[in-house]
Amino acid sequence: MSELSVMAVARGLEAAGISFERNAKLARFTTIGLGGPAEVLARPRSTEEIQTVVELAKAHEVPLRVLGAGSNLLVNDAGVAGVVLHTGALAHVRIDEENGIVDAGAGCHFPSLVKKTAGCGLRGLEGGVGIPGSLGGVVTMNAGAYQFSIGPLVESVEAVSADSGVMTLTRPSIDFRYRKSSFGSDLIVASVRLLLQPDSATAVRADLDAHMHTRKTTQPVGVKSAGCIFKNPEGDSAGRLIDAAGLKGLTVGGARISDVHANFIVHDGATTTAEVAALIDRVRESVATTTQVELETEVMTWN
Ligand SMILES: Cc1cc2nc3c(=O)[nH]c(=O)nc-3n(C[C@H](O)[C@H](O)[C@H](O)COP(=O)(O)OP(=O)(O)OC[C@H]3O[C@@H](n4cnc5c(N)ncnc54)[C@H](O)[C@@H]3O)c2cc1C
């Protein structure tokens, strides 16, 4: 890929009236606050604009990545080549309270949606309180916590692919697995229809508060992180294994294994993605040696 191809994409975005930025520092868009620049950061406002971005990247053979709220991402310090499609401007929400139907854009802020639906007396999302993603990212990662996961609540998804254009997938045709789904940079979530259960707003709110209390007492809150670094192995918890290996508080440079929850890496601003990645490797090796379990990363890495 040449600089000329990237410039051609930028010209195409300009001609189509799609908002974009050159050399956008991605640290601004990740919850861990790390990561170098994207050559082009495009911000489509509609499904049609997503399609235009995808077509431009394909036509000029430029790599394309999708960025939601950046809460499950580690971006290389040197940044990434090509186009990053940021879904932040796709934030519409429509709620049919009577029938429990929620239609929302991929960039919709998930924590706000959880509160809003609970306030409308709709049950379903309260177990996901505190997951700081975009709706598109939550669906793509099939995010979940305790008994909650988003997959069973998804009725349909409007998605865009470079090969097939815009399509609507209904739940039976979507592959939801532990922390992954059919979606990603090759099949981009544009908007989602959720089906929730009408209930008493007071009861839903009480459950939401209880889930939030559990989260606040078991996870680091108010510090920069990318959430859980490793997936839980079958029948066990990655945090327990890391703790059992005596790794709480382990550091590489400014990156540290949280004392509150061993599956979180936290920092106070003075670190790099390279240090976080080195700490991840140290943990994986140490846990494999002491427990014979190979941990698999949950956090996505962009190199
Ligand atoms: C403090 C904290 C707590 C967390 N707690 C939980 C938890 O309890 N449970 C849990 O499951 N996760 C948790 N996470 C991780 C994270 O919030 C989820 O994985 C969330 O689903 C990521 O959404 P996002 O929009 O931030 O995605 P991003 O981090 O922006 O992207 C994640 C991946 O999804 C892809 N992607 C994003 N949007 C789209 C789209 N529209 N179409 C196609 N691909 C897309 C990206 O390319 C990337 O590969 C936590 C994170 C933090 C920081």
Side-chain angles (χ1 to χ4, degrees):
M1 182 195 52
S2 69
E3 172 64 17
L4 283 178
S5 313
V6 175
M7 280 169 66
V9 171
R11 276 198 303 276
L13 292 171
E14 200 158 24
I18 298 173
S19 162
F20 72 98
E21 214 179 301
R22 291 293 313 263
N23 301 314
K25 194 102 169 73
L26 294 177
R28 283 161 40 213
F29 299 96
T30 59
T31 55
I32 197 165
L34 302 172
E39 283 189 294
V40 173
L41 182 84
R43 291 197 192 82
R45 286 156 301 192
S46 63
T47 303
E48 294 67 36
E49 288 196 356
I50 295 182
Q51 195 176 6
T52 303
V53 177
V54 167
E55 283 170 1
L56 281 167
K58 188 179 179 192
H60 297 286
E61 297 180 1
V62 166
L64 176 90
R65 294 174 171 83
V66 184
L67 172 68
S71 63
N72 198 45
L73 269 187
L74 264 186
V75 179
N76 188 5
D77 297 310
V80 289
V83 178
V84 170
L85 184 159
H86 185 218
T87 60
L90 296 145
H92 69 268
V93 179
R94 267 186 306 275
I95 300 179
D96 169 355
E97 294 182 26
E98 209 173 313
N99 296 303
I101 296 169
V102 178
D103 286 305
C108 164
H109 182 234
F110 189 67
S112 307
L113 188 64
V114 172
K115 283 195 192 129
K116 199 166 185 168
T117 53
C120 293
L122 293 179
R123 180 171 288 287
L125 299 184
E126 62 283 356
V129 66
I131 299 179
S134 64
L135 178 60
V138 166
V139 169
T140 299
M141 294 303 302
N142 190 20
Y146 307 102
Q147 312 311 318
F148 166 82
S149 70
I150 193 75
L153 304 169
V154 172
E155 189 69 359
S156 61
V157 172
E158 185 182 54
V160 181
S161 99
D163 296 328
S164 313
V166 180
M167 64 189 92
T168 300
L169 286 88
T170 51
R171 191 174 348 121
S173 61
I174 302 172
D175 189 13
F176 282 115
R177 300 199 187 178
Y178 175 56
R179 302 296 174 265
K180 65 178 175 186
S181 70
S182 312
F183 305 105
S185 296
D186 295 335
L187 187 60
I188 300 169
V189 176
S191 65
V192 180
R193 170 167 285 193
L194 300 170
L195 187 58
L196 307 181
Q197 288 305 315
D199 199 339
S200 130
T202 313
V204 179
R205 184 77 219 187
D207 288 346
L208 183 153
D209 290 343
H211 288 298
M212 196 60 206
H213 177 74
T214 307
R215 190 174 277 271
K216 279 185 175 161
T217 49
T218 54
Q219 292 183 6
V221 178
V223 287
K224 288 181 185 294
S225 82
C228 284
I229 297 294
F230 297 102
K231 292 182 180 177
N232 287 326
E234 188 83 42
D236 209 333
S237 120
R240 193 198 70 75
L241 292 167
I242 300 167
D243 198 3
L247 302 176
K248 264 189 178 169
L250 180 73
T251 60
V252 170
R256 183 165 51 86
I257 299 298
S258 165
D259 295 316
V260 183
H261 190 313
N263 200 11
F264 280 68
I265 291 180
V266 294
H267 69 96
D268 56 12
T271 194
T272 58
T273 300
E275 288 178 349
V276 174
L279 185 54
I280 291 173
D281 287 344
R282 290 268 297 275
V283 170
R284 195 191 277 113
E285 281 161 24
S286 206
V287 168
T289 308
T290 51
T291 69
Q292 279 71 56
V293 176
E294 289 285 339
L295 290 177
E296 193 190 330
T297 43
E298 176 172 325
V299 70
M300 310 298 284
T301 45
W302 285 1
N303 292 312

